[in-house]
Amino acid sequence: MIGFRGVSVAFVAIAGALALPPSLSAQTADYDATAKAQAAANSKPGDRHAPARDIATPTGDVSPQEQAIIARPYFPFFNAHPKNPGEWKELVARLADMGAKQIPALAEKLHVTVTPTVIAGVKCYIVEPKDMPARNRNRLLVHVHGGGYVLGPGLSATREAILLAGFGGFKIISIDYRMPPDFPYPAAMDDAMAVWKIAVTMADPKNMAIFGTSTGGGMTLAMVLRAKDEHLPLPAAIAPGTPWSDLTDTGDSYKTNEWVDNILVTWNGWLGDAAKLYAGRHDLKEPYLSPIYGDFHGFPPAILTTGTRDLFLSNTVRTHRKLRRAGVEADLNVYEGQSHAEYYVDPDAPETKEAMTDIANFFDKHLGK
Amino acid sequence: MIGFRGVSVAFVAIAGALALPPSLSAQTADYDATAKAQAAANSKPGDRHAPARDIATPTGDVSPQEQAIIARPYFPFFNAHPKNPGEWKELVARLADMGAKQIPALAEKLHVTVTPTVIAGVKCYIVEPKDMPARNRNRLLVHVHGGGYVLGPGLSATREAILLAGFGGFKIISIDYRMPPDFPYPAAMDDAMAVWKIAVTMADPKNMAIFGTSTGGGMTLAMVLRAKDEHLPLPAAIAPGTPWSDLTDTGDSYKTNEWVDNILVTWNGWLGDAAKLYAGRHDLKEPYLSPIYGDFHGFPPAILTTGTRDLFLSNTVRTHRKLRRAGVEADLNVYEGQSHAEYYVDPDAPETKEAMTDIANFFDKHLGK
């Protein structure tokens, strides 16, 4: 007979008799009690019951810079629930100001210029390296920023574009699309598609890619869906980073990584409110809002990026598998310990350079010259 | 001023006044209390503090068959701590008998034959499809089974080999390597390498691959490390499925997915004991035991598979990134909601066929004919 519970109890008893350090006996007794309670709580098919836990910052194969990001406290506004358009605008402005302040130094550090412009009546930024590599002279990328369709207007939107322009040497149009509360769906998508229609006249679509993270990842997918539907040229590759591909709270990591992800923290904070604010009267499952419900057949090759603690881990892996099931080349990258979109926080973290270089190499492989 | 906490409180108060359904008010009040407590517990840099949670079985993009697997109770022996070799052998035998009983029907269903043999003095099984596809006639795979270096001897070891022979049409040598308690490290690796040395005389190594899941994934990586060191031919591709690449409890998902994964459940159950039993006096971080600490330069292309709830999610993604950092082509696949190695449990689950077909296609791409 295997005493698979009795052994630990015996060990605790022995530990007490031998006067082992209190911390060790306590730890063992704690573990034993937890294991017993957990076994009882998970002895039948159905929901998983997980206990409260303290989770240390991972160290294996994680740079010190990234460890510092993973160890940060929760994003202070995760549970903001603005009551009206005025409160939304106040939150948006405050965060946009914080983000925009970092942009000049970031652009300088990465030898990138950021130039405001207007394309098809839509505010955009041209983000490009000061020294353009020869291989990229005829290439053009289009960037759609993140922020839950509400946050991140203006200069604050250009962060990821600057990183990819800097580490990858690409010229990029970053779209400062309209957002709620003033402009709910489909304004953002209309703006993005209006720019896309012009962008494909500025370069050969075979030399072009679309990319973005979070909401920008969802929009990247939705833009391809809409370009297919409207018989527009498709990009030669896409990089939907941890895409908000499902605006409903469907997806296992919305639960398994709830309260673990230190950026988004929970769907039930500002995020879920933002989904409804953006969608207005539209069903959250419409494919231009939640592209996971769209048809991925005929999509260009895609590179996806996420982290093990990301609230959108499931959004990302569901998108990856759905692309593969549709016969699309799709390359998944998951970073150890990272929460939502932490692969582009610190330009000095090796993981940031790695993620951007992987995307750049993927584009280099799939784009014409 | 953004009242990002006050809003929910106000809503609960209003809900009470309007006599909303009790479930809704209760849920909102519960959420609000949790959010408040969590914000306080995670307001400083450092460890993440996660609350107890009930996590529903995911439904989006998960087949009904796989949902049933995800919803299963904990593996009953997860917290077994055999006290001596006799107790280990009893546990091993009991589980091996359970596993072996399923093999004849599985082989029949997938039109595969399983033939015991001995290669280089090591017990093996030849697993092959009854109808060999022409493209695979000159190809040969080598399989190393899982089970924590202790479980899964004999016929029970052949499960994954049968699935890949059936869904991929390959001839496979499945190695029934020696294991503790009688034969700790390096017996398993010595057996695997002895078979590999003969196997590369049975087919052109350019037409060969090594694969395995969990411990078999770790051994797959360790075999390539050792083949490099011993100047033996390398396989043309490998498929380390959710590899036990780090036998120490290093890796974020050992903590984030502890008590969430319904197969391994926790490193502190039988798993950690098995690591020490196998390693004996050796350091768990020796690269032939924990290949994540080895040098992956020069490795053949690799396809990796895991799930979002897998205790070895971090083992898998750390291995993926480390391969990529070494310039190796590496393809990562993460299945929604799956715990450890649940991609090869039910031969009728679409995800099982999908995972095996992905591996087969990857081998077809990289192996000579």
Side-chain angles (χ1 to χ4, degrees):
Chain A
M1 181 60 202
I2 304 296
F4 63 90
R5 276 268 309 119
V7 177
S8 297
V9 173
F11 176 71
V12 173
I14 292 167
L18 296 179
L20 285 183
S23 62
L24 179 57
S25 357
Q27 190 182 11
T28 308
D30 279 357
Y31 168 76
D32 200 59
T34 301
K36 184 178 179 178
Q38 284 302 117
N42 291 276
S43 60
K44 290 179 183 167
D47 290 0
R48 184 79 61 254
H49 305 286
R53 281 165 296 156
D54 294 331
I55 303 168
T57 301
T59 55
D61 296 320
V62 181
S63 74
Q65 297 94 325
E66 204 67 36
Q67 289 181 39
I69 292 167
I70 294 168
R72 288 186 306 185
Y74 283 175
F75 174 63
F77 300 99
F78 83 88
N79 200 31
H81 293 279
K83 285 190 291 291
N84 53 52
E87 286 196 357
W88 272 113
K89 288 180 186 180
E90 192 181 350
L91 178 62
V92 170
R94 188 195 303 197
L95 295 173
D97 286 349
M98 284 167 54
K101 282 201 180 80
Q102 303 173 359
I103 295 300
L106 182 67
E108 186 62 30
K109 176 193 280 276
L110 294 175
H111 306 288
V112 166
T113 60
V114 180
T115 312
T117 185
V118 173
I119 298 175
V122 177
K123 287 194 286 182
C124 295
Y125 295 90
I126 302 295
V127 182
E128 55 193 329
K130 289 178 184 170
D131 297 308
M132 172 69 71
R135 68 178 182 283
N136 289 340
R137 293 248 159 86
N138 299 316
R139 290 166 163 173
L140 178 63
L141 310 187
V142 170
H143 171 246
V144 271
H145 68 82
Y149 290 104
V150 183
L151 306 178
L155 208 54
S156 74
T158 60
R159 180 177 196 85
E160 192 186 10
I162 291 168
L163 289 166
L164 194 57
F167 289 119
F170 290 102
K171 178 176 177 177
I172 300 166
I173 300 172
S174 184
I175 307 176
D176 185 15
Y177 51 81
R178 289 171 297 159
M179 296 193 288
D182 290 340
F183 301 102
Y185 177 83
M189 282 299 300
D190 285 349
D191 284 0
M193 295 310 295
V195 173
W196 179 248
K197 280 183 202 171
I198 300 298
V200 294
T201 68
M202 297 165 66
D204 184 337
K206 291 189 181 64
N207 302 354
M208 296 180 67
I210 304 176
F211 74 102
T213 284
S214 189
T215 290
M219 286 184 75
T220 296
L221 297 164
M223 286 173 72
V224 177
L225 285 175
R226 197 160 144 180
K228 275 174 59 182
D229 292 343
E230 297 179 7
H231 306 290
L232 297 171
L234 302 186
I238 57 175
T242 179
W244 202 11
S245 53
D246 195 332
L247 265 60
T248 77
D249 60 352
T250 304
D252 199 39
S253 67
Y254 280 134
K255 303 305 172 193
T256 55
N257 281 336
E258 189 178 27
W259 313 116
V260 173
D261 180 316
N262 62 348
I263 299 294
L264 296 174
V265 185
T266 172
W267 186 91
N268 293 300
W270 72 269
L271 187 69
D273 289 6
K276 294 166 203 158
L277 186 72
Y278 174 62
R281 295 178 187 175
H282 292 266
D283 185 340
L284 292 179
K285 291 195 174 184
E286 286 183 26
Y288 295 165
L289 289 108
S290 291
I292 197 74
Y293 300 106
D295 176 6
F296 288 172
H297 286 89
F299 265 48
I303 177 168
L304 299 106
T305 312
T306 181
T308 58
R309 292 190 184 186
D310 190 348
L311 197 72
F312 286 8
L313 174 63
S314 289
N315 276 326
T316 309
V317 307
R318 288 171 68 203
T319 300
H320 179 248
R321 291 245 63 80
K322 186 154 186 180
L323 287 165
R324 295 279 280 250
R325 288 168 187 166
V328 178
E329 179 178 339
D331 180 42
L332 176 64
N333 297 274
V334 184
Y335 281 84
E336 169 75 342
Q338 291 189 15
S339 295
H340 188 60
E342 290 185 327
Y343 57 82
Y344 77 88
V345 173
D346 180 355
D348 295 322
E351 286 87 347
T352 301
K353 183 175 182 181
E354 182 178 350
M356 293 299 135
T357 304
D358 264 16
I359 294 170
N361 289 343
F362 190 85
F363 286 169
D364 189 53
K365 179 179 169 190
H366 292 287
L367 269 55
K369 289 178 184 171
Chain B
M1 180 62 199
I2 304 294
F4 62 89
R5 276 266 312 118
V7 177
S8 297
V9 173
F11 177 71
V12 173
I14 292 167
L18 296 179
L20 285 184
S23 62
L24 179 59
S25 357
Q27 190 183 12
T28 307
D30 278 358
Y31 168 76
D32 199 60
T34 301
K36 183 178 179 179
Q38 284 303 116
N42 291 277
S43 61
K44 289 180 183 167
D47 291 0
R48 185 77 63 254
H49 306 285
R53 281 165 296 155
D54 294 331
I55 304 168
T57 301
T59 55
D61 296 319
V62 181
S63 74
Q65 297 94 325
E66 204 67 38
Q67 288 181 39
I69 292 166
I70 294 169
R72 290 186 305 185
Y74 283 175
F75 175 64
F77 302 97
F78 83 88
N79 200 31
H81 293 279
K83 285 191 289 290
N84 52 52
E87 287 196 356
W88 271 113
K89 287 179 186 180
E90 193 181 351
L91 178 62
V92 169
R94 187 195 301 197
L95 295 173
D97 286 349
M98 284 167 53
K101 282 200 182 81
Q102 304 173 359
I103 295 301
L106 181 67
E108 186 62 30
K109 176 193 281 276
L110 294 174
H111 306 287
V112 165
T113 61
V114 179
T115 312
T117 186
V118 173
I119 298 174
V122 177
K123 288 194 287 182
C124 294
Y125 295 90
I126 302 295
V127 181
E128 55 192 330
K130 289 177 183 170
D131 298 309
M132 174 68 73
R135 68 178 182 283
N136 289 339
R137 293 246 160 87
N138 299 316
R139 289 166 163 174
L140 179 63
L141 311 187
V142 170
H143 171 246
V144 271
H145 68 82
Y149 289 103
V150 184
L151 306 178
L155 208 52
S156 75
T158 60
R159 179 176 196 87
E160 191 186 12
I162 291 168
L163 290 166
L164 194 57
F167 289 120
F170 290 101
K171 178 177 178 177
I172 300 166
I173 300 171
S174 184
I175 307 176
D176 185 15
Y177 51 81
R178 289 170 297 160
M179 297 194 288
D182 290 341
F183 302 101
Y185 178 84
M189 282 299 300
D190 285 348
D191 284 0
M193 295 310 296
V195 173
W196 179 248
K197 280 183 202 171
I198 300 297
V200 295
T201 68
M202 297 165 65
D204 185 335
K206 291 189 180 65
N207 302 353
M208 296 181 66
I210 304 176
F211 73 104
T213 284
S214 190
T215 290
M219 286 184 73
T220 296
L221 298 164
M223 286 173 72
V224 177
L225 285 175
R226 199 161 141 179
K228 274 175 57 183
D229 291 344
E230 297 179 7
H231 306 290
L232 297 171
L234 302 187
I238 57 173
T242 179
W244 202 11
S245 52
D246 195 332
L247 265 60
T248 76
D249 61 350
T250 304
D252 199 40
S253 67
Y254 281 135
K255 303 306 173 194
T256 55
N257 281 337
E258 188 178 28
W259 314 115
V260 173
D261 181 316
N262 62 346
I263 299 294
L264 296 174
V265 186
T266 172
W267 187 90
N268 293 300
W270 71 270
L271 187 69
D273 288 6
K276 294 167 204 156
L277 186 72
Y278 173 63
R281 294 178 187 176
H282 291 265
D283 185 340
L284 292 180
K285 290 195 174 184
E286 286 184 26
Y288 293 165
L289 289 108
S290 291
I292 197 75
Y293 301 106
D295 176 6
F296 289 172
H297 286 89
F299 265 49
I303 177 168
L304 300 106
T305 312
T306 181
T308 58
R309 292 189 184 186
D310 190 348
L311 198 72
F312 287 7
L313 174 63
S314 289
N315 276 326
T316 309
V317 307
R318 287 171 69 204
T319 300
H320 179 249
R321 290 246 62 81
K322 186 155 186 180
L323 286 164
R324 296 279 281 249
R325 288 168 187 166
V328 178
E329 180 178 337
D331 180 43
L332 176 65
N333 296 273
V334 184
Y335 280 85
E336 169 75 343
Q338 291 188 15
S339 296
H340 187 61
E342 290 186 327
Y343 57 82
Y344 78 87
V345 173
D346 180 355
D348 296 322
E351 287 87 347
T352 302
K353 183 174 182 180
E354 182 178 349
M356 293 299 136
T357 304
D358 263 15
I359 293 169
N361 289 343
F362 189 85
F363 286 169
D364 189 52
K365 178 180 170 189
H366 291 287
L367 268 56
K369 290 180 182 172

